[in-house]
Amino acid sequence: MAQVRILARTNRDEFFGRDVELRQIVRQASHVGDARGLILMAAPGAGTSELLRQSYDQLFARRGDPVPIYFAFRLNGATASEIACGFFQIFLKQYIA
């Protein structure tokens, strides 16, 4: 069965070369009581945003803890209050879903 895309822009079977990183992100996020974080650093255009969207889709499909929340900052000159309002709206939509 093919995984349904929610945030990902690429089908899972067409997203290749990052399986190790994808598994690591999903595994790290699945450790609910773990206080450790995960920092991703990559050059612009390296596909990190799509990697995070693919991770979100996998975690969302599990329908359990943790509840994945995806928020991307935009370079459009938004004020701090606009960013906060945007995050809150996205947070509510994703949490309720």
Side-chain angles (χ1 to χ4, degrees):
M1 182 176 98
Q3 181 175 329
V4 176
R5 284 190 296 152
I6 299 165
L7 291 181
R9 296 180 181 160
T10 304
N11 289 330
R12 179 64 188 101
D13 57 346
E14 296 172 0
F15 184 73
F16 55 90
R18 303 298 284 276
D19 290 333
V20 172
E21 293 89 350
L22 184 58
R23 280 194 306 269
Q24 183 179 8
I25 292 169
V26 171
R27 182 176 46 247
Q28 179 74 21
S30 298
H31 294 204
V32 177
D34 197 354
R36 295 179 11 207
L38 182 66
I39 297 174
L40 298 177
M41 294 174 39
T48 308
S49 294
E50 183 62 22
L51 177 62
L52 291 171
R53 288 189 289 264
Q54 292 284 338
S55 303
Y56 178 95
D57 287 1
Q58 284 193 14
L59 290 166
F60 187 88
R62 290 183 177 188
R63 295 283 188 199
D65 287 332
V67 174
I69 302 294
Y70 180 86
F71 180 76
F73 289 94
R74 305 280 182 232
L75 298 175
N76 64 357
T79 65
S81 62
E82 291 170 337
I83 292 170
C85 286
F87 174 79
F88 185 66
Q89 289 173 343
I90 287 176
F91 175 84
L92 283 178
K93 286 179 188 176
Q94 293 179 22
Y95 186 79
I96 291 169

